Amino acid sequence: MKLACSVLVALLVAGCPAPNHRHDLRLRTLPTSAGETRSLAFFQSLGVPLSPGHGVELVENGRVFDVLEAEIRAARSSIHIASYIWRPGEPSEQLVRAIRERHPGVACRVLVDPLGSINFETVGLALANAGCDVRIFRPIQGAFASLDAARIKTRMHRKLVVRDGSVGITGGFGIWKSWLGDAEGEEYWRDMSVRVEGPVVRDMQVAFAQNWQEAGGDFLPVDAFPELSVQGGARAGFVASTQNRFLSDARRMTLLTIAAARRRLWIANSYFIPSEAISDMLLEKVKQGVDVRVVVPGRHHDIAPVHSAQRATYARLLEGGVRIWEYELSMMHSKTMLVDEDLSVVGSTNLDPLALSTSDECSLVVEDEALAAQLAAAFEKDLRHSREIHWDGWRKRGLLQRLGEQLPGFIGDYL
């Protein structure tokens, strides 16, 4: 973990391509919260409608590995896994064992990013011995100092599993020990994932296929794209974002989701360094009377300089009425957004320059009151384990703390 964190810090300090703020969306609100109108707004901006017919399930913390194992064992035609982090040990052994024992004839394709998947060689060998086709996304070769910085920054940060082309799972999880447990101590991270059935899984399969092809994989077979029937009452859309110098789909999705809020906007995000446009819209929502709350990592942040950069964004937001909490139990790694009573976003997308500009990300946008209620309950539970940062106290913080926030301050040139 330390190597990947150090690389991430280096990337942030080196600076991502500076987005031209003239190309950001400057929305105050969406036309209405009615389903079809909201869906049309997402479709116009992202090409992703919020389509009906989905069954969705929120998956918290380490339970994701039991869900993944169950899907692997249930597979009848294919299991596809794309992960930014896959490292030896538990829970890798749990998943490798399930893959080894899967039903005969089930194709297994695994794609990992080498920046996050440290020491993956032993896992890759075990997967290959189990009959999986294993590929590395944009391999990193040669001395780090001699590598093209742009290539290092443009990583596959997605966490994506598709079973039989009919069930999809995404979220913030990595396949490593930090995601075990239930966030009960600092070694077990807080995270959120979502399982979905229905038409949108076809789009999740396409996202996997595109990354797979870039890694040298062949086209997926016809049975990887079955006809999908209605599975529930939720509307959903899958947003797969890739590098964009001006306005990525991750950035569009974030701004659209904020704009949709009329009563409530609750955000949990692990690397919270919002762009100028995102900060502007958060403040605009406060002026509109929206309850804007943000939960971010506290003292257990895994990358100290990024924590300082996160804290450097507080003053303007707090003064403008945005409420901010720092999670205290462990590293808070969720990437969720909750709007009003029915709109939820769960995925891999952080609110930092890398996620919003250069890396491959993915998120599921869901319009469903039941899922929103579950996400709200989880958010409120997290608030009970968090410390609220108040503007009156924050503006009186000491000189050393202010200086610490400025050490990575030139990151701000790229926000």
Side-chain angles (χ1 to χ4, degrees), residues 86-93 118-123 175-177:
W86 192 332
R87 300 176 188 172
E90 284 290 342
S92 173
E93 293 173 4
I118 300 169
N119 297 324
F120 180 73
E121 294 80 5
T122 57
V123 179
I175 303 174
W176 197 46
K177 62 182 180 180

Side-chain angles (χ1 to χ4, degrees), residues 200-258:
V200 78
V201 179
R202 192 176 184 90
D203 298 322
M204 301 173 81
Q205 189 78 293
V206 168
F208 176 86
Q210 291 174 341
N211 285 143
W212 183 251
Q213 291 163 27
E214 182 177 344
D218 205 347
F219 289 106
L220 302 183
V222 173
D223 64 8
F225 296 93
E227 292 297 324
L228 299 177
S229 60
V230 172
Q231 296 294 324
R235 304 172 67 96
F238 182 72
V239 180
S241 182
T242 59
Q243 179 188 19
N244 190 296
R245 179 180 175 188
F246 297 110
L247 188 56
S248 70
D249 283 349
R251 190 183 295 267
R252 286 179 180 271
M253 177 197 70
T254 301
L255 293 166
L256 281 165
T257 303
I258 294 172

Side-chain angles (χ1 to χ4, degrees), residues 153-413:
K153 293 174 188 174
T154 52
R155 307 314 310 170
M156 184 198 69
H157 189 248
R158 294 171 178 168
K159 294 85 175 171
L160 181 62
V161 177
V162 181
R163 187 263 287 175
D164 294 338
S166 61
V167 176
I169 300 166
T170 190
F173 66 92
I175 303 174
W176 197 46
K177 62 182 180 180
S178 291
W179 283 270
L180 290 168
D182 199 27
E184 64 268 31
E186 61 181 282
E187 67 271 31
Y188 301 121
W189 291 7
R190 176 69 171 123
D191 220 327
M192 197 70 71
S193 302
V194 64
R195 178 187 182 275
V196 60
E197 295 183 76
V200 78
V201 179
R202 192 176 184 90
D203 298 322
M204 301 173 81
Q205 189 78 293
V206 168
F208 176 86
Q210 291 174 341
N211 285 143
W212 183 251
Q213 291 163 27
E214 182 177 344
D218 205 347
F219 289 106
L220 302 183
V222 173
D223 64 8
F225 296 93
E227 292 297 324
L228 299 177
S229 60
V230 172
Q231 296 294 324
R235 304 172 67 96
F238 182 72
V239 180
S241 182
T242 59
Q243 179 188 19
N244 190 296
R245 179 180 175 188
F246 297 110
L247 188 56
S248 70
D249 283 349
R251 190 183 295 267
R252 286 179 180 271
M253 177 197 70
T254 301
L255 293 166
L256 281 165
T257 303
I258 294 172
R262 292 171 178 265
R263 291 170 295 281
R264 172 173 68 181
L265 174 62
W266 292 357
I267 297 171
N269 203 268
S270 53
Y271 303 108
F272 182 77
I273 313 175
S275 68
E276 179 183 339
I278 291 173
S279 295
D280 287 348
M281 288 188 65
L282 293 176
L283 295 170
E284 172 62 29
K285 285 299 163 179
V286 173
K287 293 177 182 177
Q288 292 176 12
V290 176
D291 175 16
V292 181
R293 305 185 185 192
V294 179
V295 174
V296 293
R299 57 195 174 95
H300 296 299
H301 201 297
D302 64 323
I303 312 175
V306 176
H307 189 213
S308 295
Q310 165 190 299
R311 287 183 147 209
T313 69
Y314 288 0
R316 181 173 178 240
L317 295 174
L318 289 170
E319 186 176 16
V322 174
R323 298 182 69 184
I324 299 174
W325 281 261
E326 290 188 343
Y327 188 72
E328 292 294 294
L329 280 185
S330 63
M331 171 60 185
M332 204 289 300
H333 199 258
S334 302
K335 303 96 167 48
T336 66
M337 302 179 72
L338 175 63
V339 169
D340 298 342
E341 294 78 33
D342 63 345
L343 188 66
S344 306
V345 177
V346 183
S348 72
T349 309
N350 290 307
L351 297 185
D352 65 21
L354 290 174
L356 297 176
S357 298
T358 68
S359 58
D360 280 17
E361 304 286 355
C362 62
S363 294
L364 190 72
V365 183
V366 181
E367 194 175 72
D368 181 69
E369 289 188 2
L371 185 75
Q374 293 173 17
L375 191 59
F379 191 95
E380 290 172 335
K381 179 178 67 176
D382 290 344
L383 290 185
R384 294 194 291 271
H385 298 295
S386 303
R387 177 176 66 93
E388 185 171 6
I389 308 298
H390 296 279
W391 171 234
D392 284 345
W394 187 253
R395 64 182 176 180
K396 298 174 183 176
R397 66 198 184 282
L399 178 61
L400 287 179
Q401 185 171 341
R402 291 173 186 266
L403 290 174
E405 294 163 18
Q406 299 310 311
L407 289 176
F410 43 84
I411 297 175
D413 294 338

